[in-house]
Structure formats: C-alpha cells, structure tokens
C-alpha cells in the first residue's frame, strides 16, 4: 500500500486478497485504487509516484527475491520517500506453534529452501475468511541481515528499526508472548530513499 498525497494505491498479486483491502479502506478517510500485479514487474507509471510504501504482516515471507522486491518497492518511491514495515520477526518463523512441542525449534533461521504447503492460503477477517486455492505455496524464511541488506541495496537508508515482544499474527502465536526468556516477535522499520 502506498500513499501519494491523500490517495492510496494498493498492490497485491492475488485478486482474492484485495477484498480485505477494500474492506479496510471502507474504514479509512482515504480513497484507494487497487491493482493485481506482480510486484517484480510493476507498471512503469507507478515509478517515483509515491511518498510512502507500507509493507505489513506476512508480505516478506512470500518473496523469494528480497533484493528484487525492495528494488521494485524503491522504484515506486519519490526521492526522499519512505518505506514503513511492520512485520513478524524472522525468529518467530523458527517455531511451529501447533506442533506437539511448540517451544522446540522446528526450522533453521538460516533455512535456504522455502517451506512448501499444499493448504489453501487463508486471510482471516473479523467476520469471515478469504481463501485462495493453490496447488502449493512457498514460505521463505529471511534473516534480519538479509532484509536489511536488501533494503540498503535498493538505495534506501534505514532510519528506524525496533523489535517488539508482542504477537502481530495469528492467535496461535500468542503462546510465545510473556515468556521469562522472551524472543522478539515482530518489528518495525522505516527507511528513506536517497534524494
């Protein structure tokens, strides 16, 4: 989602998931445009058109090529434009909350291959669910250093990075909150495109 003045432009590679975006926009003071597009091949007319790009929970794990992804996002920003990220922390991706022992590490932080699922992709809404049927999907575990390096490599300067001990995803992950030895569960990041 990006802002240009008071206008909002939302891009998703799934038409199914633009439904929740439209629902959220109805609660906003902003008018929004929606586009189904491959983030790696955004139309040229979007280049340098936005002051702010917002990336929210779960986006980065769908991206196999972080440098390419952040280069594409950076291309949409005007010089001096900002990128804001509020995402699940990669450390949380090492756990499987519904396993028999949800506190045992299930995946390597440095896992080179994606996790592959054959289940439908589900987006939880307040009163409903949106499902997208796929033959299989890929979930990539990116390290913090990979994320930071890709942002810096796209010509942006990191202005803020903060980790938090609270859950920002499905309720099943709430079990990892409030531990004596607390792991980071999510983070916020702000980066600025060079002038």
């Amino acid at each position: 989602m990006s802002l240009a003045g008071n206008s909002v432009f939302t891009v998703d590679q799934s038409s199914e998931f633009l439904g929740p975006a439209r629902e959220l926009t109805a609660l906003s003071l902003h008018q929004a445009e929606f586009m189904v597009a491959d983030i790696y091949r955004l139309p040229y007319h979007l280049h340098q058109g936005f002051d702010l790009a917002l990336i929210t929970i779960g986006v980065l794990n769908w991206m196999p090529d972080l440098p390419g992804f952040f280069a594409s996002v950076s291309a949409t920003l005007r010089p001096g434009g900002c990128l804001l990220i509020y995402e699940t922390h990669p450390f949380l991706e090492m756990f499987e909350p519904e396993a028999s022992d949800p506190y045992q590490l299930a995946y390597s932080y440095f896992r080179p291959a994606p996790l592959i699922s054959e289940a439908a992709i589900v987006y939880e809404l307040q009163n409903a669910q949106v499902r997208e049927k796929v033959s299989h999907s890929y979930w990539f575990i990116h390290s913090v250093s990979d994320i930071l390096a890709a942002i810096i490599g796209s010509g942006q300067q990191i202005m803020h990075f903060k980790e938090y001990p609270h859950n920002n995803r499905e309720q099943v992950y709430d079990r990892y909150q409030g531990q004596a030895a607390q792991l980071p569960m999510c983070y916020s990041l702000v980066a600025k495109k060079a002038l």
Side-chain angles (χ1 to χ4, degrees):
M1 187 181 290
S2 302
L3 299 173
N6 283 333
S7 65
V8 177
F9 195 88
T10 300
V11 176
D12 202 301
Q13 51 195 26
S14 167
S15 59
E16 296 293 326
F17 290 161
L18 285 179
R22 288 185 177 94
E23 185 177 307
L24 292 171
T25 300
L27 303 172
S28 168
L29 300 176
H30 302 282
Q31 296 297 314
E33 294 180 54
F34 300 91
M35 174 186 279
V36 175
D38 179 346
I39 189 69
Y40 296 104
R41 294 176 184 81
L42 289 176
Y44 186 76
H45 73 273
L46 296 181
H47 288 203
Q48 295 194 25
F50 301 96
D51 299 315
L52 176 69
L54 173 64
I55 297 170
T56 57
I57 306 159
V59 170
L60 297 182
N61 296 101
W62 294 113
M63 301 299 147
D65 173 12
L66 281 183
F69 172 76
F70 283 114
S72 186
V73 170
S74 183
T76 68
L77 291 172
R78 293 185 178 113
C82 287
L83 165 66
L84 172 61
I85 300 175
Y86 179 58
E87 255 289 15
T88 299
H89 200 289
F91 283 8
L92 198 58
E93 302 295 347
M94 295 189 295
F95 295 91
E96 184 55 64
E98 296 181 303
S100 58
D101 181 358
Y103 299 100
Q104 174 71 35
L105 293 178
Y107 309 106
S108 171
Y109 182 69
F110 298 103
R111 182 184 173 92
L115 300 172
I116 302 172
S117 173
E118 295 182 15
I121 300 169
V122 179
Y123 187 93
E124 300 283 344
L125 297 170
Q126 189 169 2
N127 299 315
Q129 289 184 343
V130 175
R131 294 179 160 283
E132 182 174 37
K133 294 178 182 175
V134 294
S135 58
H136 46 276
S137 60
Y138 301 90
W139 189 255
F140 299 86
I141 299 175
H142 302 295
S143 69
V144 171
S145 60
D146 288 343
I147 295 165
L148 298 179
I151 293 168
I152 293 166
S154 72
Q156 299 181 70
Q157 179 181 6
I158 295 171
M159 310 299 289
H160 159 91
F161 179 77
K162 184 168 182 173
E163 299 163 299
Y164 305 99
H166 65 264
N167 181 25
N168 69 345
R169 57 185 298 178
E170 299 91 347
Q171 273 189 314
V172 71
Y173 287 90
D174 285 353
R175 67 182 39 176
Y176 301 112
Q177 295 182 128
Q179 302 295 314
Q182 181 65 54
L183 72 148
M185 297 185 69
C186 60
Y187 67 93
S188 61
L189 182 150
V190 177
K192 188 173 183 179
K193 185 174 179 178
L195 293 171

